[in-house]
Amino acid sequence: MTTRVSAVLAVLIALSMGTATAAAACGGTYTVVRGDSLTEIANELYDDARKWSVIYQTNVDRIGDNPERITVGTELTLTCIDGLPVGLDDGRGARDIDARSALLEVPFASPATREPIALLTADDYRPFTDRTLPGGGMYTEIVQRAMEAAAPEDGFAIYWVNDWASHHEPLLSNALLDLGFPWFKPDCEADPTTYRCENLVFSDPVFEVLTLMFVNTSNPVAFTEDSDLHGKSLCRPEGYSTFIFDADGRNWLEDDLVTVDMPKTIEACFEGLVARRYDGVILNEFTGREKINAMGLRGQVDVGGGRPIAIDGLHIVAHKAHPEADELIALVNAGLARIKEDGTYQRTIDAHMARIWAELAGS
């Protein structure tokens, strides 16, 4: 067996196995009535107004790009989180997750000698991918279930390499591994020349993430339209994508309409926000809320009012240099469609969301 990187590279493979447990039916369908808002629905049915974002994320295709505008008569799907809500139509039981991990030494084989499909991810992207989490994280377990449903003839394995910068180059570009996750897709129609657009093939969105603006509660800034942020100072940590600032014709960076500082850590962003050096910190909802709790900033920092900054899909990718890139992505999409159809996808999301919000509430 030949190698392109080294004779043997020690990698971690996370193997998640779910066990079903009986639970009272919760979640289900809620019909919007006059006077409703997502915040009020969340407060009434989840006992937590912050969970407006869960409702929005699950129903963005029905609500549209503005969560403050919901139409009377719209049927909303409410995820089961920590046993709530109850009493709705189409309620279902929650599922607990029992995950197991193994540390193995696996040789890197050349594409010609490696048969199982090799998927690549890394730790420290909570709650999506991290081996300290049940199932390796919400996204990892969805990928696991989708690949099981796709049932590739030669099997598959998930490899953990904790150097995100190496994933596209050289690991995927040289077909040392076949697929990577999770990755955002830029607006390739607006700018097809970005690296990801030029070099990667994207699956259907596996999960959609709300990117929100976190604000100082003593100096709240609402985002209802693009001009609200013109002239504002924003913070987004180093290494996070910036294409959202110019997406959909905003051209915030291109036209110098906003100032974006990119310190090395999330902590530095929030410290600057509290010190009022920034008007907002731009992060995905889960990362932002977890960090607020960890830093003891509840009450000082919260989600700003109005709309999300972006709603971005997280995808599985193959490099266009891979000779079977299109076939691999088609296989992934087929598996994803199957678990959405049979309910596995939503059960997996529900179980992880219950854990995530329980952790946020208890921090």
Side-chain angles (χ1 to χ4, degrees):
M1 181 179 297
T2 62
T3 70
R4 296 191 184 184
V5 177
S6 62
V8 175
L9 176 65
V11 297
L12 291 171
I13 299 177
L15 305 171
S16 71
M17 301 183 66
T19 56
T21 58
C26 70
T29 302
Y30 175 83
T31 302
V32 175
V33 299
R34 187 175 300 279
D36 271 346
S37 70
L38 295 189
T39 300
E40 290 165 344
I41 295 170
N43 193 52
E44 177 70 22
L45 296 180
Y46 287 113
D47 293 330
D48 187 347
R50 297 179 303 162
K51 292 190 176 70
W52 70 267
S53 59
V54 178
I55 303 173
Y56 180 55
Q57 189 167 49
T58 306
N59 298 277
V60 65
D61 57 331
R62 304 172 195 178
I63 297 172
D65 64 359
N66 191 342
E68 295 188 334
R69 296 175 184 169
I70 55 175
T71 304
V72 172
T74 300
E75 291 189 348
L76 302 176
T77 299
L78 269 60
T79 296
C80 175
I81 299 177
D82 199 23
L84 293 174
V86 296
L88 300 179
D89 292 339
D90 305 322
R92 52 190 174 274
R95 184 176 66 84
D96 292 329
I97 300 172
D98 175 26
R100 298 181 296 187
S101 296
L103 173 59
L104 303 178
E105 287 190 349
V106 181
F108 262 47
S110 70
T113 59
R114 188 189 66 245
E115 292 184 351
I117 295 173
L119 296 102
L120 173 64
T121 191
D123 291 308
D124 201 26
Y125 190 27
R126 298 170 66 92
F128 305 112
T129 62
D130 195 298
R131 279 166 292 181
T132 65
L133 297 174
M138 176 167 57
Y139 200 100
T140 305
E141 191 178 358
I142 295 172
V143 171
Q144 177 89 14
R145 302 304 174 201
M147 292 302 294
E148 289 171 350
E153 182 177 351
D154 296 315
F156 68 94
I158 297 175
Y159 294 75
W160 299 75
V161 177
N162 285 340
D163 178 8
W164 288 100
S166 71
H167 286 204
H168 297 161
E169 301 282 353
L171 299 180
L172 294 179
S173 63
N174 287 294
L176 293 170
L177 294 108
D178 301 305
L179 296 165
F181 68 89
W183 294 97
F184 287 112
K185 181 181 180 181
D187 185 348
C188 293
E189 290 186 6
D191 187 1
T193 64
T194 63
Y195 175 89
R196 296 187 192 184
C197 297
E198 284 193 328
N199 292 280
L200 302 179
V201 182
F202 292 84
S203 72
D204 293 336
V206 177
F207 187 76
E208 291 189 318
V209 180
L210 302 184
T211 298
L212 304 176
M213 181 170 65
F214 293 85
V215 300
N216 187 324
T217 55
S218 67
N219 181 39
V221 176
F223 171 59
T224 57
E225 56 187 42
D226 287 352
S227 60
D228 291 337
L229 298 189
H230 291 178
K232 301 300 184 185
S233 177
L234 307 177
C235 190
R236 188 158 169 82
E238 183 178 77
Y240 282 67
S241 62
T242 59
F243 61 77
I244 60 173
F245 297 117
D246 289 327
D248 301 322
R250 285 174 177 162
N251 296 329
W252 285 348
L253 287 178
E254 184 177 332
D255 295 340
D256 295 323
L257 297 174
V258 301
T259 301
V260 178
D261 192 17
M262 301 191 73
K264 290 187 177 297
T265 66
I266 297 172
E267 286 85 352
C269 275
F270 280 124
E271 288 166 0
L273 182 65
V274 171
R276 306 185 95 173
R277 294 195 301 272
Y278 308 125
D279 296 299
V281 174
I282 310 301
L283 286 169
N284 78 70
E285 175 185 18
F286 303 114
T287 300
R289 290 194 190 277
E290 282 190 347
K291 193 59 67 174
I292 288 170
N293 286 348
M295 295 178 69
L297 296 179
R298 274 194 185 181
Q300 297 181 69
V301 176
D302 206 346
V303 174
R307 298 158 48 194
I309 298 294
I311 305 168
D312 291 313
L314 283 170
H315 303 256
I316 302 171
V317 301
H319 201 282
K320 290 180 180 179
H322 195 297
E324 298 177 349
D326 291 334
E327 291 84 350
L328 288 167
I329 293 300
L331 180 79
V332 167
N333 288 340
L336 184 60
R338 286 173 192 152
I339 65 170
K340 286 186 174 181
E341 183 177 354
D342 69 15
T344 299
Y345 176 90
Q346 194 58 51
R347 288 193 299 272
T348 303
I349 294 293
D350 287 354
H352 281 277
M353 282 292 188
R355 173 186 55 77
I356 291 164
W357 280 97
E359 290 176 355
L360 289 173
S363 297

